[in-house]
């Protein structure tokens, strides 16, 4: 391996990252006003309001838009690390720092034997496709923790467990990183860390788990897969409404409960598929952990009652980790995710009024974006299954060979 080449950061992605992130910062600082709704209001109004409440040692119990696990408080309070900046400015700078941290991790990993720079490129190109929204939500910070967890797994399984638990206590979905882990040390570290954080927040701050009730009462958000039913139904006389509900724009009215329940059933089916996959796995490669995480998050994203634009940064980060492996078969679904990210910025914030009013332009955008995500999900699931669950005649032969990426399950 060319170690000198590994130490040098490639000039092209570095320059592209610097240029695109400068544009994102100009947008969130409103030097350039990005068309559409103001995406920064979540930071300047909602996050800042939560910040003031959290500083008093309690969660915002009277605010139904607080729908996050207790460690989300760490992300909301993080601008206090930069007291010389006002709250929004500090938040944007920290979001950019998290973006840079992921870039550095992917660069370092991509230079190792058997690895690739494709992940570096996927992250560099993918994040700005989402527009300034990506810097105006804390999802990028959570994604940085998830990427670090996956990249630490091979050499430091306990570190992966700790980071996974931390991420899950910030925004739940990083718990899905454990789907492809077969190491007891990882699961043990995750369980201990999650229990410790939960106990700490439960004892120290009232209302640490009130978010569970708020999440339960959510409806069908206008950008979700299930919302397509109502976007089309509005053109045929459906009498429901589109209102701000629990912090997002949702459909309310006849049959919404049916569609929301169907989404939950599909999420249960996705979980069942993952359980069957775990029981059937025979072959594992170094890329399997990341590929399973990517597939799991895709499954739970497309079946969710809410698919907010910032959710795409989760998928970009996990796709980038997959692509750091030369052996990964997740190239096509990763490309589909990047395409979905581009369509996402067209629907929010650029075309959000068309989505809210369900005109044919808005409906088309939603069909294309969600169709790309569904295609990516089926492609990822099919590739994961075929690469790890061989046909029955081959299974007995493959079972005799030890996995190449991890220690035995009992280690």
């Amino acid at each position: 391996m060319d170690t000198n080449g590994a130490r040098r950061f490639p000039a092209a992605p570095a320059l592209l990252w610097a240029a695109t992130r400068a544009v994102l910062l100009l947008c969130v600082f409103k030097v350039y006003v990005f068309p559409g709704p103001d995406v920064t209001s979540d930071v300047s109004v909602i996050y800042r309001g939560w910040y003031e409440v959290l500083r008093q040692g309690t969660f915002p119990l009277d605010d139904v838009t607080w729908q996050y696990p207790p460690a989300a408080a760490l992300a909301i309070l993080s601008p206090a690390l930069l007291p010389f900046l006002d709250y929004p400015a500090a938040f944007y700078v920290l979001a950019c720092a998290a973006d840079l941290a992921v870039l550095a991790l992917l660069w370092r990993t991509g230079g190792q034997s058997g690895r690739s720079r494709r992940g570096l490129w996927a992250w560099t190109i993918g994040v700005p496709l989402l527009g300034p929204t990506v810097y105006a939500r804390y999802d990028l910070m959570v994604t940085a923790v998830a990427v670090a967890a996956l990249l630490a797994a091979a050499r430091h399984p306990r570190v992966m467990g700790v980071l996974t638990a931390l991420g899950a206590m910030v925004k739940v979905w990083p718990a899905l990183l454990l789907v492809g882990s077969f190491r007891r040390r990882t699961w043990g570290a995750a369980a201990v860390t999650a229990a410790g954080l939960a106990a700490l927040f439960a004892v120290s701050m009232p209302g640490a788990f009130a978010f569970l009730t708020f999440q339960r009462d959510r409806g069908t958000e206008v950008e979700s897969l299930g919302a397509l039913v109502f976007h089309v139904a509005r053109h045929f006389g459906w009498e429901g409404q589109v209102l701000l509900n629990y912090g997002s724009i949702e459909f309310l009215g006849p049959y919404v409960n049916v569609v929301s329940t169907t989404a939950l059933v599909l999420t249960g089916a996705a979980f069942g598929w993952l359980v069957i996959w775990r029981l059937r796995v025979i072959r594992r490669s170094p890329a399997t952990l990341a590929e399973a995480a990517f597939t799991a998050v895709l499954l739970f994203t497309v079946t969710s009652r809410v698919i907010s634009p910032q959710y795409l940064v989760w998928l970009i980060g996990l796709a980038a980790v997959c692509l750091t492996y030369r052996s990964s078969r997740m190239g096509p679904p990763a490309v589909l995710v990047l395409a979905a990210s581009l369509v996402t910025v067209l629907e929010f914030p650029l075309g959000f009024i068309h989505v809210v009013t369900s005109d044919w332009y808005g409906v088309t955008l939603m069909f294309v974006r969600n169709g790309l995500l569904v295609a990516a999900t089926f492609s990822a699931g099919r590739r994961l299954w075929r690469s790890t669950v061989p046909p029955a005649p081959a299974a007995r032969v493959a079972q005799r060979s030890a996995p190449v990426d991890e220690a035995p399950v009992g280690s």
Side-chain angles (χ1 to χ4, degrees), residues 12-213:
L15 291 173
L16 180 60
W17 186 91
T20 54
R21 275 44 175 196
V23 172
L24 292 180
L25 287 171
L26 289 173
C27 290
V28 292
F29 279 105
K30 298 185 179 178
V31 176
Y32 169 74
V33 179
F34 202 77
D38 180 10
V39 301
T40 66
S41 61
D42 277 35
V43 176
S44 58
V45 178
I46 299 175
Y47 288 7
R48 191 167 192 168
W50 291 343
Y51 173 81
E52 297 299 335
V53 175
L54 290 166
R55 288 178 63 192
Q56 307 304 315
T58 185
F59 288 93
L61 302 178
D62 297 326
D63 188 347
V64 295
T65 62
W66 177 261
Q67 301 165 8
Y68 309 106
L74 301 177
I76 302 302
L77 292 169
S78 63
L81 297 172
L82 304 176
F84 48 88
L85 296 174
D86 65 10
Y87 185 90
F91 187 92
Y92 305 142
V93 169
L94 290 173
C96 186
D99 184 357
L100 181 59
V102 174
L103 187 79
L105 288 169
L106 293 170
W107 160 69
R108 181 179 179 183
T109 303
Q112 297 173 3
S113 177
R115 297 299 186 104
S116 169
R117 300 287 192 196
R118 293 183 302 163
L120 181 69
W121 278 105
W123 181 258
T124 302
I125 295 169
V127 169
L129 291 179
L130 294 172
T133 305
V134 75
Y135 273 14
R137 306 290 188 273
Y138 80 81
D139 296 80
L140 199 151
M141 301 175 186
V142 184
T143 302
V145 175
V147 168
L150 287 175
L151 295 179
R155 296 183 179 181
H156 307 287
R158 289 190 178 90
V159 172
M160 181 200 168
V162 170
L163 291 176
T164 298
L166 175 60
M169 292 296 289
V170 174
K171 204 162 187 181
V172 180
W173 70 265
L176 295 170
L177 304 186
L178 294 172
V179 165
S181 176
F182 292 81
R183 290 184 169 183
R184 290 182 179 176
R185 285 175 290 174
T186 301
W187 282 84
V192 170
T193 303
L197 286 172
L200 177 63
F201 279 106
V203 170
S204 61
M205 296 180 69
F209 296 96
F211 77 97
L212 294 172
T213 300

Side-chain angles (χ1 to χ4, degrees), residues 284-299:
R284 301 205 300 272
S285 75
T288 299
L289 176 64
E291 291 178 340
F294 179 47
T295 303
V297 175
L298 271 169
L299 282 165

